[in-house]
Short mmCIF file of all heavy atoms in Angstrom, two decimals:
data_model
loop_
_atom_site.label_atom_id
_atom_site.label_comp_id
_atom_site.label_asym_id
_atom_site.label_seq_id
_atom_site.Cartn_x
_atom_site.Cartn_y
_atom_site.Cartn_z
N GLU A 190 10.43 7.79 -0.08
CA GLU A 190 9.32 8.18 0.79
C GLU A 190 9.01 7.09 1.82
O GLU A 190 8.81 7.35 2.99
CB GLU A 190 8.10 8.49 -0.05
CG GLU A 190 8.20 9.79 -0.84
CD GLU A 190 6.97 10.04 -1.70
OE1 GLU A 190 6.09 9.14 -1.76
OE2 GLU A 190 6.89 11.10 -2.33
N ALA A 191 8.98 5.82 1.32
CA ALA A 191 8.67 4.72 2.23
C ALA A 191 9.81 4.53 3.24
O ALA A 191 9.55 4.28 4.44
CB ALA A 191 8.52 3.42 1.42
N LEU A 192 11.06 4.71 2.82
CA LEU A 192 12.19 4.60 3.72
C LEU A 192 12.09 5.65 4.81
O LEU A 192 12.33 5.36 6.00
CB LEU A 192 13.51 4.77 2.92
CG LEU A 192 14.79 4.75 3.75
CD1 LEU A 192 14.94 3.41 4.44
CD2 LEU A 192 15.99 5.02 2.81
N GLY A 193 11.72 6.88 4.45
CA GLY A 193 11.57 7.94 5.42
C GLY A 193 10.48 7.62 6.43
O GLY A 193 10.65 7.88 7.66
N GLU A 194 9.37 7.05 5.97
CA GLU A 194 8.27 6.67 6.88
C GLU A 194 8.77 5.62 7.89
O GLU A 194 8.52 5.73 9.08
CB GLU A 194 7.13 6.09 6.06
CG GLU A 194 6.38 7.12 5.23
CD GLU A 194 5.52 8.03 6.05
OE1 GLU A 194 5.24 7.72 7.22
OE2 GLU A 194 5.12 9.10 5.52
N HIS A 195 9.47 4.61 7.39
CA HIS A 195 9.87 3.50 8.29
C HIS A 195 10.99 3.90 9.24
O HIS A 195 11.03 3.39 10.35
CB HIS A 195 10.28 2.28 7.43
CG HIS A 195 9.15 1.56 6.82
ND1 HIS A 195 8.22 0.85 7.57
CD2 HIS A 195 8.77 1.43 5.53
CE1 HIS A 195 7.32 0.31 6.77
NE2 HIS A 195 7.63 0.65 5.52
N THR A 196 11.88 4.78 8.83
CA THR A 196 12.92 5.20 9.76
C THR A 196 12.40 6.05 10.89
O THR A 196 13.12 6.27 11.86
CB THR A 196 14.04 5.95 8.99
OG1 THR A 196 13.47 7.01 8.20
CG2 THR A 196 14.83 5.04 8.09
N ARG A 197 11.17 6.53 10.78
CA ARG A 197 10.57 7.26 11.89
C ARG A 197 9.90 6.35 12.90
O ARG A 197 9.29 6.79 13.84
CB ARG A 197 9.53 8.27 11.35
CG ARG A 197 10.14 9.49 10.73
CD ARG A 197 9.10 10.59 10.49
NE ARG A 197 8.25 10.29 9.36
CZ ARG A 197 8.48 10.73 8.11
NH1 ARG A 197 9.56 11.45 7.87
NH2 ARG A 197 7.64 10.45 7.13
N ARG A 198 10.08 5.05 12.69
CA ARG A 198 9.53 4.05 13.64
C ARG A 198 10.68 3.23 14.21
O ARG A 198 10.98 2.14 13.78
CB ARG A 198 8.53 3.14 12.93
CG ARG A 198 7.36 3.89 12.33
CD ARG A 198 6.38 2.92 11.64
NE ARG A 198 5.84 1.96 12.60
CZ ARG A 198 5.11 0.91 12.26
NH1 ARG A 198 4.89 0.64 10.98
NH2 ARG A 198 4.63 0.07 13.20
N PRO A 199 11.36 3.77 15.23
CA PRO A 199 12.54 3.12 15.78
C PRO A 199 12.26 1.81 16.52
O PRO A 199 13.16 1.03 16.79
CB PRO A 199 13.12 4.17 16.73
CG PRO A 199 11.96 5.00 17.14
CD PRO A 199 11.06 5.04 15.94
N ASP A 200 10.99 1.56 16.83
CA ASP A 200 10.62 0.35 17.59
C ASP A 200 10.50 -0.89 16.70
O ASP A 200 10.38 -1.99 17.25
CB ASP A 200 9.27 0.58 18.30
CG ASP A 200 8.17 1.00 17.33
OD1 ASP A 200 8.45 1.82 16.45
OD2 ASP A 200 7.04 0.47 17.47
N VAL A 201 10.59 -0.73 15.41
CA VAL A 201 10.43 -1.87 14.48
C VAL A 201 11.75 -2.13 13.77
O VAL A 201 12.43 -1.19 13.30
CB VAL A 201 9.33 -1.57 13.43
CG1 VAL A 201 9.22 -2.72 12.46
CG2 VAL A 201 8.01 -1.28 14.11
N ALA A 202 12.15 -3.41 13.74
CA ALA A 202 13.38 -3.76 13.02
C ALA A 202 13.24 -3.36 11.55
O ALA A 202 12.16 -3.38 10.95
CB ALA A 202 13.61 -5.26 13.11
N LEU A 203 14.36 -2.93 10.97
CA LEU A 203 14.34 -2.48 9.57
C LEU A 203 15.67 -2.81 8.91
O LEU A 203 16.73 -2.53 9.44
CB LEU A 203 14.11 -0.98 9.52
CG LEU A 203 14.06 -0.33 8.14
CD1 LEU A 203 12.89 -0.87 7.33
CD2 LEU A 203 13.99 1.19 8.24
N SER A 204 15.57 -3.41 7.73
CA SER A 204 16.76 -3.67 6.93
C SER A 204 16.51 -3.18 5.52
O SER A 204 15.38 -3.03 5.09
CB SER A 204 17.09 -5.19 6.91
OG SER A 204 17.44 -5.65 8.19
N ALA A 205 17.60 -2.93 4.82
CA ALA A 205 17.53 -2.48 3.43
C ALA A 205 18.60 -3.17 2.62
O ALA A 205 19.63 -3.59 3.19
CB ALA A 205 17.68 -0.97 3.35
N ALA A 206 18.40 -3.26 1.33
CA ALA A 206 19.36 -3.94 0.47
C ALA A 206 19.44 -3.23 -0.85
O ALA A 206 18.44 -2.63 -1.34
CB ALA A 206 18.99 -5.42 0.25
N LEU A 207 20.59 -3.25 -1.48
CA LEU A 207 20.81 -2.78 -2.82
C LEU A 207 21.30 -3.97 -3.65
O LEU A 207 22.22 -4.69 -3.22
CB LEU A 207 21.86 -1.67 -2.84
CG LEU A 207 21.46 -0.34 -2.19
CD1 LEU A 207 22.65 0.61 -2.13
CD2 LEU A 207 20.30 0.31 -2.97
N LEU A 208 20.66 -4.18 -4.78
CA LEU A 208 20.96 -5.31 -5.64
C LEU A 208 21.30 -4.84 -7.06
O LEU A 208 20.49 -4.11 -7.67
CB LEU A 208 19.80 -6.31 -5.71
CG LEU A 208 19.29 -6.88 -4.39
CD1 LEU A 208 18.14 -6.03 -3.85
CD2 LEU A 208 18.81 -8.34 -4.56
N ASP A 209 22.45 -5.20 -7.55
CA ASP A 209 22.91 -4.81 -8.89
C ASP A 209 22.98 -6.05 -9.78
O ASP A 209 23.46 -7.12 -9.35
CB ASP A 209 24.34 -4.20 -8.81
CG ASP A 209 24.28 -2.69 -8.65
OD1 ASP A 209 23.19 -2.16 -8.41
OD2 ASP A 209 25.36 -2.06 -8.70
N LEU A 210 22.53 -5.91 -11.02
CA LEU A 210 22.71 -6.96 -11.99
C LEU A 210 24.12 -6.86 -12.57
O LEU A 210 24.49 -5.81 -13.10
CB LEU A 210 21.67 -6.84 -13.12
CG LEU A 210 20.19 -6.80 -12.69
CD1 LEU A 210 19.29 -6.85 -13.90
CD2 LEU A 210 19.88 -7.93 -11.72
N ASP A 211 24.87 -7.92 -12.48
CA ASP A 211 26.27 -7.88 -12.92
C ASP A 211 26.40 -7.80 -14.43
O ASP A 211 25.66 -8.48 -15.16
CB ASP A 211 27.01 -9.16 -12.43
CG ASP A 211 27.07 -9.20 -10.90
OD1 ASP A 211 27.04 -8.13 -10.27
OD2 ASP A 211 27.15 -10.35 -10.35
N HIS A 212 27.30 -6.96 -14.87
CA HIS A 212 27.63 -6.82 -16.30
C HIS A 212 26.42 -6.50 -17.14
O HIS A 212 26.29 -6.95 -18.29
CB HIS A 212 28.29 -8.13 -16.80
CG HIS A 212 29.41 -8.60 -15.95
ND1 HIS A 212 30.56 -7.85 -15.74
CD2 HIS A 212 29.57 -9.75 -15.20
CE1 HIS A 212 31.37 -8.51 -14.93
NE2 HIS A 212 30.79 -9.65 -14.59
N PHE A 213 25.52 -5.68 -16.60
CA PHE A 213 24.30 -5.35 -17.34
C PHE A 213 24.63 -4.49 -18.57
O PHE A 213 24.00 -4.66 -19.60
CB PHE A 213 23.35 -4.58 -16.40
CG PHE A 213 22.04 -4.20 -17.05
CD1 PHE A 213 21.06 -5.15 -17.27
CD2 PHE A 213 21.81 -2.91 -17.45
CE1 PHE A 213 19.85 -4.80 -17.87
CE2 PHE A 213 20.60 -2.57 -18.05
CZ PHE A 213 19.63 -3.52 -18.25
N LYS A 214 25.60 -3.62 -18.47
CA LYS A 214 25.98 -2.79 -19.59
C LYS A 214 26.41 -3.65 -20.78
O LYS A 214 26.13 -3.32 -21.96
CB LYS A 214 27.10 -1.82 -19.19
CG LYS A 214 27.48 -0.84 -20.30
CD LYS A 214 28.55 0.14 -19.79
CE LYS A 214 28.89 1.18 -20.87
NZ LYS A 214 29.37 0.56 -22.12
N GLN A 215 27.08 -4.72 -20.47
CA GLN A 215 27.55 -5.61 -21.54
C GLN A 215 26.36 -6.21 -22.30
O GLN A 215 26.41 -6.38 -23.53
CB GLN A 215 28.40 -6.72 -20.95
CG GLN A 215 28.98 -7.68 -21.98
CD GLN A 215 29.88 -8.73 -21.33
OE1 GLN A 215 30.39 -8.54 -20.25
NE2 GLN A 215 30.03 -9.86 -22.01
N ILE A 216 25.30 -6.51 -21.57
CA ILE A 216 24.09 -7.07 -22.20
C ILE A 216 23.48 -6.04 -23.14
O ILE A 216 23.10 -6.33 -24.28
CB ILE A 216 23.05 -7.49 -21.12
CG1 ILE A 216 23.61 -8.64 -20.29
CG2 ILE A 216 21.75 -7.87 -21.78
CD1 ILE A 216 22.76 -9.05 -19.14
N ASN A 217 23.40 -4.77 -22.67
CA ASN A 217 22.87 -3.72 -23.52
C ASN A 217 23.74 -3.50 -24.77
O ASN A 217 23.21 -3.32 -25.87
CB ASN A 217 22.81 -2.40 -22.74
CG ASN A 217 21.54 -2.30 -21.89
OD1 ASN A 217 20.52 -2.96 -22.18
ND2 ASN A 217 21.57 -1.48 -20.84
N ASP A 218 25.04 -3.55 -24.56
CA ASP A 218 25.94 -3.29 -25.69
C ASP A 218 25.94 -4.44 -26.69
O ASP A 218 26.03 -4.21 -27.90
CB ASP A 218 27.39 -3.07 -25.16
CG ASP A 218 27.51 -1.78 -24.37
OD1 ASP A 218 26.63 -0.93 -24.50
OD2 ASP A 218 28.50 -1.64 -23.62
N THR A 219 25.81 -5.65 -26.18
CA THR A 219 25.88 -6.83 -27.07
C THR A 219 24.56 -7.16 -27.70
O THR A 219 24.48 -7.42 -28.94
CB THR A 219 26.41 -8.04 -26.26
OG1 THR A 219 27.69 -7.73 -25.68
CG2 THR A 219 26.53 -9.29 -27.18
N ASP A 220 23.51 -7.20 -26.89
CA ASP A 220 22.18 -7.69 -27.38
C ASP A 220 21.20 -6.57 -27.60
O ASP A 220 20.08 -6.83 -28.10
CB ASP A 220 21.60 -8.69 -26.39
CG ASP A 220 22.52 -9.87 -26.17
OD1 ASP A 220 23.17 -10.28 -27.14
OD2 ASP A 220 22.60 -10.36 -25.03
N GLY A 221 21.54 -5.34 -27.21
CA GLY A 221 20.63 -4.22 -27.42
C GLY A 221 19.83 -3.88 -26.18
O GLY A 221 19.68 -4.69 -25.26
N HIS A 222 19.31 -2.66 -26.15
CA HIS A 222 18.56 -2.19 -24.99
C HIS A 222 17.26 -2.95 -24.77
O HIS A 222 16.78 -3.08 -23.65
CB HIS A 222 18.30 -0.67 -25.11
CG HIS A 222 19.51 0.14 -24.93
ND1 HIS A 222 20.02 0.43 -23.69
CD2 HIS A 222 20.37 0.72 -25.82
CE1 HIS A 222 21.10 1.18 -23.81
NE2 HIS A 222 21.35 1.36 -25.11
N GLU A 223 16.71 -3.45 -25.85
CA GLU A 223 15.46 -4.23 -25.72
C GLU A 223 15.69 -5.47 -24.91
O GLU A 223 14.87 -5.86 -24.03
CB GLU A 223 14.91 -4.60 -27.10
CG GLU A 223 13.56 -5.30 -27.02
CD GLU A 223 12.96 -5.56 -28.40
OE1 GLU A 223 13.50 -5.01 -29.40
OE2 GLU A 223 11.99 -6.34 -28.49
N ALA A 224 16.84 -6.13 -25.11
CA ALA A 224 17.17 -7.32 -24.33
C ALA A 224 17.41 -6.93 -22.88
O ALA A 224 17.01 -7.65 -21.97
CB ALA A 224 18.41 -7.96 -24.92
N GLY A 225 18.07 -5.77 -22.66
CA GLY A 225 18.27 -5.33 -21.29
C GLY A 225 16.96 -5.02 -20.57
O GLY A 225 16.78 -5.37 -19.41
N ASP A 226 16.02 -4.37 -21.30
CA ASP A 226 14.74 -4.08 -20.71
C ASP A 226 13.96 -5.35 -20.37
O ASP A 226 13.33 -5.48 -19.31
CB ASP A 226 13.89 -3.26 -21.67
CG ASP A 226 14.42 -1.84 -21.86
OD1 ASP A 226 15.31 -1.44 -21.05
OD2 ASP A 226 13.95 -1.13 -22.78
N HIS A 227 14.07 -6.35 -21.25
CA HIS A 227 13.40 -7.62 -21.01
C HIS A 227 13.97 -8.30 -19.76
O HIS A 227 13.23 -8.88 -18.95
CB HIS A 227 13.57 -8.55 -22.23
CG HIS A 227 13.02 -9.92 -22.01
ND1 HIS A 227 11.67 -10.19 -21.99
CD2 HIS A 227 13.65 -11.12 -21.81
CE1 HIS A 227 11.48 -11.46 -21.77
NE2 HIS A 227 12.67 -12.08 -21.66
N LEU A 228 15.31 -8.21 -19.59
CA LEU A 228 15.93 -8.81 -18.42
C LEU A 228 15.45 -8.13 -17.15
O LEU A 228 15.16 -8.80 -16.13
CB LEU A 228 17.45 -8.72 -18.56
CG LEU A 228 18.26 -9.26 -17.35
CD1 LEU A 228 17.96 -10.75 -17.17
CD2 LEU A 228 19.76 -9.03 -17.57
N LEU A 229 15.37 -6.82 -17.16
CA LEU A 229 14.91 -6.09 -15.98
C LEU A 229 13.50 -6.51 -15.61
O LEU A 229 13.18 -6.69 -14.42
CB LEU A 229 14.99 -4.58 -16.22
CG LEU A 229 16.38 -3.97 -16.32
CD1 LEU A 229 16.29 -2.54 -16.79
CD2 LEU A 229 17.10 -4.02 -14.96
N ARG A 230 12.61 -6.62 -16.60
CA ARG A 230 11.25 -7.01 -16.32
C ARG A 230 11.18 -8.44 -15.81
O ARG A 230 10.38 -8.76 -14.92
CB ARG A 230 10.42 -6.87 -17.59
CG ARG A 230 10.09 -5.40 -17.94
CD ARG A 230 9.00 -5.34 -19.03
NE ARG A 230 9.47 -5.90 -20.30
CZ ARG A 230 9.99 -5.18 -21.28
NH1 ARG A 230 10.13 -3.89 -21.13
NH2 ARG A 230 10.40 -5.76 -22.39
N ARG A 231 12.01 -9.31 -16.37
CA ARG A 231 12.04 -10.70 -15.94
C ARG A 231 12.51 -10.83 -14.49
O ARG A 231 11.93 -11.60 -13.69
CB ARG A 231 12.94 -11.51 -16.86
CG ARG A 231 12.89 -13.02 -16.61
CD ARG A 231 13.26 -13.77 -17.83
NE ARG A 231 14.56 -13.41 -18.38
CZ ARG A 231 15.72 -13.96 -18.00
NH1 ARG A 231 15.69 -14.92 -17.09
NH2 ARG A 231 16.84 -13.60 -18.50
N VAL A 232 13.54 -10.13 -14.14
CA VAL A 232 14.03 -10.15 -12.76
C VAL A 232 12.96 -9.59 -11.79
O VAL A 232 12.69 -10.19 -10.74
CB VAL A 232 15.33 -9.33 -12.64
CG1 VAL A 232 15.72 -9.13 -11.17
CG2 VAL A 232 16.46 -10.04 -13.39
N ALA A 233 12.34 -8.47 -12.16
CA ALA A 233 11.31 -7.90 -11.30
C ALA A 233 10.16 -8.86 -11.14
O ALA A 233 9.63 -9.05 -10.03
CB ALA A 233 10.81 -6.58 -11.91
#
Side-chain angles (χ1 to χ4, degrees):
E190 289 178 355
L192 178 62
E194 291 285 345
H195 285 292
T196 51
R197 284 193 285 267
R198 300 182 61 189
D200 55 317
V201 178
L203 180 64
S204 296
L207 292 172
L208 303 93
D209 269 8
L210 305 187
D211 295 334
H212 309 298
F213 182 75
K214 184 177 183 301
Q215 181 178 338
I216 295 174
N217 277 338
D218 292 343
T219 303
D220 302 323
H222 288 280
E223 185 176 348
D226 291 348
H227 176 72
L228 178 61
L229 290 171
R230 287 192 294 265
R231 186 155 57 88
V232 169

